[in-house]
Amino acid sequence: MDQIHVIYGSTTGMTEAVADKIAKALDAQAFNIGAGDAAAFDAELLVLGSSTWGVGDLQDDWAAKLDEVKRNFASKKVAVFGLGDSIGFADSYCVAAETIANAAKAAGATLVGEILKIDDTNEADQTDGKIAAWVETIKA
Ligand SMILES: Cc1cc2nc3c(=O)[nH]c(=O)nc-3n(C[C@H](O)[C@H](O)[C@H](O)COP(=O)(O)O)c2cc1C
């Protein structure tokens, strides 16, 4: 079994870009949840990422798959990141990441690290620094 897989859902590509950066920093493979690749869950640590849509909703591919895939979280280590818009959606900022973290915990996963929340819309200059710092906490 691989050590780490990054699994993301992304509608306009922003979460995908961050997932690719996190995967590179962790020397891990990245999987799009929308692709339906069962091998995505075959790792000791799953790094799960989703943008938030609607008002506090999961990204579409996660919304379609979360119920079906959450059994794969049992007895796994899980880390979670989210992308959102902290100005346009201050009251529902990155709620999808919290939804995924809660689903993983309920399914028996152990959460690793804090939820990483990224606003690439308004604070793109902070993205790389946040990723680098967060990845260090996940490795530890
Ligand atoms: C119609 C719409 C609804 C959104 N709703 C939220 C929201 O409730 N909370 C949030 O934090 N961001 C929200 N966003 C911002 C997106 O999550 C953000 O643009 C994100 O970077 C998109 O990532 P993706 O391209 O990977 O899907 C919304 C954006 C749009 C266009």
Side-chain angles (χ1 to χ4, degrees):
M1 199 187 305
D2 289 345
Q3 235 184 332
I4 308 174
H5 284 170
V6 179
I7 306 171
Y8 65 88
S10 182
T11 298
T12 70
M14 296 173 80
T15 307
E16 179 173 29
V18 169
D20 286 342
K21 287 180 181 181
I22 291 172
K24 196 172 173 206
L26 289 169
D27 197 19
Q29 205 181 333
F31 297 81
N32 187 329
I33 184 72
D37 185 348
F41 298 95
D42 197 16
E44 287 164 27
L45 168 65
L46 304 176
V47 180
L48 309 175
S50 177
S51 48
T52 299
W53 287 85
V55 181
D57 296 339
L58 288 168
Q59 188 273 339
D60 278 353
D61 298 307
W62 271 117
K65 292 265 163 77
L66 183 58
D67 266 351
E68 176 192 332
V69 303
K70 65 186 179 192
R71 62 190 165 78
N72 296 297
F73 301 154
S75 71
K76 290 282 168 62
K77 285 186 254 176
V78 165
V80 180
F81 69 97
L83 271 80
D85 175 347
S86 64
I87 294 176
F89 296 90
D91 291 340
S92 58
Y93 179 53
C94 287
V95 163
E98 290 164 14
T99 303
I100 289 175
N102 288 336
K105 266 191 282 185
T110 303
L111 249 4
V112 174
E114 300 287 316
I115 297 175
L116 171 65
K117 296 182 178 180
I118 289 187
D119 181 350
D120 219 15
T121 307
N122 306 294
E123 304 167 345
D125 56 325
Q126 295 180 23
T127 297
D128 287 353
K130 280 189 183 178
I131 291 171
W134 186 75
V135 159
E136 286 313 310
T137 70
I138 298 306
K139 281 186 188 164

